[in-house]
Amino acid sequence: MSKKDRIAEPWGTRTPYASGEPWPVRVDMHLEEGLQAGDVDRWVQTASILHSNGDALDIAVKDDRIAGVRGRADDRVNHGRLGPKDLYGWQANSSPDRLTKPLIRKRGKLVETDWDTAMDRIVGKTRDLLDEQGASAIGFYTTGQLFAEEYYTLGIVAHGGLGTNHVDGNTRLCTATAAAALKESFACDGQPGSYTDIDHADVIALYGHNMAETQTVLWTRVLDRLAGPNPPQIICVDPRLTPVAKAATVHLAPRPGTNVALMNGLLHEIIANGWIDSDYIQAHAVGFSELEKRVKEYPPEVVEHICDVPADRIREAAGIIGRAERLLSTVLQGFYQSNQATAAAVQVNNINIIRGMLGKPGCGILQMNGQPTAQNTRECGGDGDLPAFRNWSNDAHVEDLAKVWNVDPMEIPHYSPPTHVMQMMRYVEDGSIRMLWVSGTNPAVSLPELQRVRSILTQDRLFLVVQDIFLSETAQLADVVLPAATWGEKTGTFTNVDRTVHISEKAVDPPGDAKSDLDIFLEYARRLDLRDKDGQPLVTWHDPESAFEAWKECTRGRPCDYTGITYEKLRGGSGIQWPCNEENPEGSERIYADGKFWSSPEYCESYGRDLVTGAPLEPDEYKAMNPEGKAIIKAAEYMPPHEIPSGKYPFQLITGRTLYHFHTRTKTARAPQLQAAAPEVWVEMSDHDAKAFGIAEGDLTRVSTPRGSVEAKVRISGIRDGVLFLPFHYGYWDTDGGHKPDKAGRAANELTITDWDPASKQPIFKTAAASIRKLKSGKGPSAAPTTTASAPIRPIGRETKGSHNAEVQETLNGAGTEGQR
Amino acid sequence: MKIGLVLHELHRSENDLALELLQVSERNKVDHEIYHLGRDLARWSQDHVREIAEIGKQYGQNLDPEPRHEFNLAEKVREAGSDILGRRSAPALLMLRDLREIYMKASGVSVDWEMLAQAAQGIKHTDLLDVTKRCHPQTLRQMRWANAMLKVNSTQALIS
């Protein structure tokens, strides 16, 4: 047992292990000051909702309050480890500024009210709009933070009850491309890989994926492999010098917006050198010849010119990937939020397909999620997708869903792809959506081009409902605010990126009159008196477990089959990976073994889209292309980004998440250790660029694009030349401005462009032309963390470490030894 | 042989389609997907204009390899107009009309490519056939895009 400041050492103590061995257990625990493990009243089982890893943990309850957390040693995902966000983030639950009563806007001001008044207002508005215009007037924008039961309930209320096509989740900003890329390559969502692939892989390639900061515990697993015998080789594609890049065998730092060219260069080399599994391609895939033809146009010298990456470096990386025996590929926002997002992510799938690296230990693809319950938004119909991976353009699937819900198929909108959030904002802007219900997310900070978003959300003709745990920037603009319960205060399940389902139990009561999101949606359905076609209540469940049972029925026979899972089975042990049913009673570690896919035209979730235009394929086109249900290889040409540097805006601006904060800092800024580690926005630039512009570490600058500006202190980091980086978590709720800048802007999205990937509809946050200007010299270094990708390139006389009570207890079991790395 | 005539007509209609895509893009600046994709897809037609001019030389055609441009006041006015009118719902109907026009024009271009491909096969001119193989699929994608955008936008525009 030892103590570690996990702000200063985010990944904790090394426990090295060799290829194929089980990952040693290390249990991390952080309790409130003065509390000992033995004094805890009870431990309550849950998992993390502050990142997508799905780390299982127990909440410590003392005197009916949350008083700490401890990792679950038996869990398949984290083997007892926790990341900094989980170790410290729980403290936000008991913040004094939690919403405890509904609020309603009266004479321009939000005032406290009771649930009856608030719900009457919402239900009355809903009825008026349904009478006047129909369901097209109503939109729902939810989160990646709720539980499966809640998304499923929202989905049936919105799609089956009201009949609106306007439903999306903020997973759109984060993981929509993961889903889209999987639908393109395998005609179905769902990850082929498993986290245990890290235990077996000999090459791990991370594309635009700063795993060290986004999934700290998963990165810990990689670090432990690197510290053991026969470590894997790491390939990193990232314009920043991230901890992943520092650990990499080969680091490629392409110009932002050129990922497709780079991927085509890698594929060019892999195919030209014959590092492909021809038998596998022949038996299990369609579309190879088109890929072969397309990547011929991208020899490394051509790619060098587009991406500004040395041709030899591309050859070196391709050689390692091409000769890998067990290749794990992972992808995240560096691809998903960049130019040609889906096209680039699909090329990663292509590498694993043409190398036959699927469905075997160590051979996986993790098209990562950024949000913990993103997978559920996608599965349960909380974003635009129909529940349980049903295909909206397959009439039989809509009829099947209508049977499950006992409604007429015409009641379920399926005339076009469901409306994504950026399009919803457009419909609010043109006045055709007149009521928007936002649950658990914060578009006034998280969407691109904030000036535009604020002007849309503040229109008088919009009726805005916000359901949240704090008075976020968006909540401050609402007509009605509903106080919600959160993690630790309600029960439900959620699913991580490798299909592991965890249960999260209620540990304590929510503050004041706050209610669980499930209860709020159920109440809305009841007051609206939504009925099925026999006149019975449409929503037949009343609590988390009955909602889960209903959801299970909906998944029967579909790829994400939950029918073998019960609350009872999830309690006590570890998470379970779907599909879990009669054939797979203990769940399924890997899917797509032996080249079997869910892509037959009758069964598949999606017929895919054109990677450039985003136009959906018609059913007949798909049938002609893939009659036998194989994997689909889709080639893509490189298209330049829509905004490129100019004399006035000479830089490319990218934004991103960081280790110490999560989604608009709603919770993480209320955890003192996390807030102190990254207290204010900063801007990163390279040493070369800083010298050219006469800027030094810590200088205050103004970063501008055609849309706005932000003021931030400079960190001179290892980022590539010509690129600026801004962390995207900083908004205004903790400033005098409240929901908008009172002086200089500080939210990265003041600057980003309104543009999205045509296939996944994910906004492009990593393509903006920007300028930077020094405003005044700094008095010291910037407050950016020194432990992460924002590490300074030379000592600045200050190191990020924990403020008070940051010490975490680590207990090593088995083979672990301390301090090897 | 009348291949020169077809090339001439195709050169004209691709130029026309490129311009239409650019103008529709500008008129609908506030509908960001149409704005950005309109410009991306116009580039395909502009590339086609260059390809047609190049291969046209073999058939005695003196075609301008530079796609027609219209960088002038009218363009800026259309963009500004779109921003100002974007908060009203009537422009949604104009957008449907714009998309319909793109679909129709791209269909015309597609038919021209088909005719040219048939002729190229008949006289076994592989160079010319290759041009049609490179360009025609992109025309089809332009058509499908306009069609898909019509499907996405019609419902909301017509029932709200």
Side-chain angles (χ1 to χ4, degrees), chain A residues 478-753:
Chain A
D479 295 284
V480 179
V481 178
L482 303 176
T486 184
W487 171 91
E489 299 161 358
K490 58 180 186 176
T491 294
T493 57
F494 52 91
T495 310
N496 76 351
V497 76
D498 82 346
R499 294 171 282 103
T500 303
V501 184
H502 283 115
I503 191 164
S504 177
E505 303 264 23
K506 177 173 171 172
V508 298
D509 285 327
D513 296 342
K515 286 188 188 189
S516 77
D517 300 275
L518 180 67
D519 284 342
I520 297 173
F521 294 141
L522 289 174
E523 178 75 9
Y524 181 59
R526 192 185 62 73
R527 285 175 184 253
L528 270 179
D529 198 25
L530 298 176
R531 300 271 164 175
D532 66 12
K533 66 180 181 189
D534 296 328
Q536 297 302 307
L538 176 70
V539 183
T540 54
W541 47 94
H542 50 88
D543 66 358
E545 188 155 9
S546 55
F548 184 75
E549 290 299 315
W551 161 238
K552 277 166 60 178
E553 257 330 286
C554 187
T555 66
R556 188 176 292 280
R558 296 301 301 161
C560 54
D561 198 328
Y562 280 70
T563 49
I565 306 177
T566 60
Y567 270 20
E568 210 38 60
K569 214 163 156 179
L570 290 171
R571 284 181 174 133
S574 176
I576 299 170
Q577 285 170 292
W578 66 247
C580 177
N581 46 23
E582 271 178 27
E583 299 91 83
N584 313 287
E586 301 310 314
S588 312
E589 170 121 53
R590 283 180 192 79
I591 57 177
Y592 305 155
D594 306 320
K596 290 196 191 73
F597 300 96
W598 291 318
S599 56
S600 79
E602 297 74 33
Y603 190 68
C604 70
E605 179 191 9
S606 169
Y607 299 133
R609 292 172 183 264
D610 186 307
L611 290 178
V612 171
T613 70
L617 264 68
E618 297 292 333
D620 288 346
E621 287 177 83
Y622 182 84
K623 265 177 218 161
M625 175 182 76
N626 193 20
E628 294 173 78
K630 296 180 176 184
I632 303 139
I633 296 171
K634 270 197 185 167
E637 71 218 87
Y638 165 67
M639 311 272 283
H642 292 141
E643 190 168 285
I644 50 177
S646 60
K648 192 172 175 199
Y649 299 109
F651 287 92
Q652 284 184 293
L653 172 73
I654 57 176
T655 71
R657 73 184 62 201
T658 65
L659 194 144
Y660 299 106
H661 284 303
F662 187 75
H663 197 61
T664 73
R665 297 160 59 249
T666 317
K667 278 187 171 179
T668 47
R670 289 171 169 98
Q673 298 87 353
L674 295 172
Q675 175 60 6
E680 59 182 34
V681 67
W682 69 89
V683 56
E684 287 171 36
M685 68 191 302
S686 77
D687 199 28
H688 169 273
D689 291 340
K691 284 198 176 101
F693 279 70
I695 294 173
E697 167 75 34
D699 284 356
L700 183 69
T701 62
R702 176 174 296 143
V703 183
S704 306
T705 70
R707 291 156 294 276
S709 65
V710 159
E711 286 184 14
K713 288 187 187 146
V714 165
R715 164 58 45 85
I716 299 180
S717 74
I719 195 168
R720 62 157 292 148
D721 293 342
V723 181
L724 304 174
F725 171 89
L726 279 174
F728 64 43
H729 294 295
Y730 296 87
Y732 305 103
W733 61 263
D734 50 348
T735 69
D736 292 339
H739 70 277
K740 63 179 183 194
D742 57 335
K743 297 190 289 280
R746 71 168 184 174
N749 284 324
E750 303 292 344
L751 306 180
T752 45
I753 186 171

Side-chain angles (χ1 to χ4, degrees), chain A residues 187-219:
Chain A
C188 188
D189 197 349
Q191 301 290 344
S194 170
Y195 283 160
T196 55
D197 287 334
I198 288 178
D199 307 345
H200 302 279
D202 65 333
V203 174
I204 304 175
L206 299 98
Y207 300 95
H209 182 194
N210 184 3
M211 188 193 280
E213 292 191 59
T214 53
Q215 285 101 2
T216 47
V217 168
L218 199 60
W219 181 244

Side-chain angles (χ1 to χ4, degrees), chain A residues 171-421:
Chain A
T171 45
R172 183 68 56 191
L173 315 181
C174 153
T175 178
T177 303
L182 293 168
K183 289 177 193 173
E184 291 295 338
S185 300
F186 309 111
C188 188
D189 197 349
Q191 301 290 344
S194 170
Y195 283 160
T196 55
D197 287 334
I198 288 178
D199 307 345
H200 302 279
D202 65 333
V203 174
I204 304 175
L206 299 98
Y207 300 95
H209 182 194
N210 184 3
M211 188 193 280
E213 292 191 59
T214 53
Q215 285 101 2
T216 47
V217 168
L218 199 60
W219 181 244
T220 302
R221 198 164 187 158
V222 175
L223 288 179
D224 287 348
R225 274 293 314 275
L226 289 174
N230 52 44
Q233 289 183 287
I234 307 288
I235 305 290
C236 170
V237 177
D238 203 313
R240 297 169 78 205
L241 187 60
T242 62
V244 177
K246 285 179 180 166
T249 320
V250 181
H251 172 207
L252 306 171
R255 270 212 164 276
T258 65
N259 293 330
V260 164
L262 183 75
M263 293 310 300
N264 282 350
L266 293 173
L267 282 159
H268 176 280
E269 284 301 289
I270 289 168
I271 293 175
N273 286 289
W275 294 318
I276 59 173
D277 185 339
S278 300
D279 293 343
Y280 188 88
I281 297 171
Q282 182 67 30
H284 302 301
V286 295
F288 179 66
S289 60
E290 202 187 320
L291 181 74
E292 212 175 6
K293 207 166 74 190
R294 175 64 71 189
V295 300
K296 274 213 176 90
E297 301 162 22
Y298 295 87
E301 280 70 23
V302 169
V303 175
E304 170 171 332
H305 184 68
I306 300 172
C307 304
D308 191 22
V309 171
D312 283 344
R313 201 74 64 78
I314 296 167
R315 285 200 187 87
E316 198 188 337
I320 291 170
I321 295 167
R323 294 190 187 96
E325 288 171 23
R326 291 175 305 279
L327 170 67
L328 173 63
S329 304
T330 78
V331 196
L332 196 65
Q333 311 303 7
F335 274 34
Y336 299 164
Q337 293 179 343
S338 192
N339 180 42
Q340 293 195 282
T342 309
V346 162
Q347 302 317 309
V348 176
N349 293 344
N350 285 344
I351 289 181
N352 278 65
I353 295 171
I354 66 172
R355 299 222 59 236
M357 298 272 171
L358 280 171
K360 295 176 285 192
C363 303
I365 302 170
L366 295 168
Q367 295 279 356
M368 278 288 168
N369 301 340
Q371 292 254 25
T373 75
Q375 188 67 48
N376 303 102
T377 331
R378 280 142 55 181
E379 283 167 15
C380 303
D383 65 356
D385 297 327
L386 294 182
F389 297 160
R390 285 178 176 82
N391 187 342
W392 62 266
S393 49
N394 183 335
D395 286 342
H397 286 201
V398 178
E399 276 166 33
D400 181 47
L401 180 63
K403 224 173 272 163
V404 175
W405 286 351
N406 196 33
V407 298
D408 189 279
M410 275 302 280
E411 298 290 323
I412 303 170
H414 58 284
Y415 44 80
S416 74
T419 317
H420 58 95
V421 66

Side-chain angles (χ1 to χ4, degrees), chain A residues 421-441:
Chain A
V421 66
M422 298 302 288
Q423 185 69 43
M424 270 200 246
M425 294 305 282
R426 171 69 195 129
Y427 289 155
V428 174
E429 186 177 39
D430 78 12
S432 64
I433 287 183
R434 294 148 73 188
M435 169 174 157
L436 184 66
W437 186 329
V438 176
S439 43
T441 188

Side-chain angles (χ1 to χ4, degrees), chain A residues 133 136 166 415 423 426-427 429 432 455 459 461 610 612-613 618 621 637 640 642 754-756 761, chain B residues 30-33 36-37 40 43-44 86-87 89 138 141 144-145 148 151-153 155-156 159-160:
Chain A
Q133 176 182 330
S136 69
H166 311 319
Y415 44 80
Q423 185 69 43
R426 171 69 195 129
Y427 289 155
E429 186 177 39
S432 64
S455 83
Q459 290 178 98
R461 61 185 175 186
D610 186 307
V612 171
T613 70
E618 297 292 333
E621 287 177 83
E637 71 218 87
H642 292 141
T754 304
D755 187 10
W756 53 86
K761 314 297 180 190
Chain B
V30 72
D31 275 280
H32 295 80
E33 190 163 339
H36 289 298
L37 263 291
D40 283 349
R43 241 191 355 258
W44 285 353
R87 293 271 159 102
S89 61
Q138 290 183 325
R141 291 165 78 187
R144 289 194 200 110
W145 172 71
K151 273 193 186 160
V152 165
N153 286 289
T155 321
Q156 190 76 5
I159 67 176
S160 65

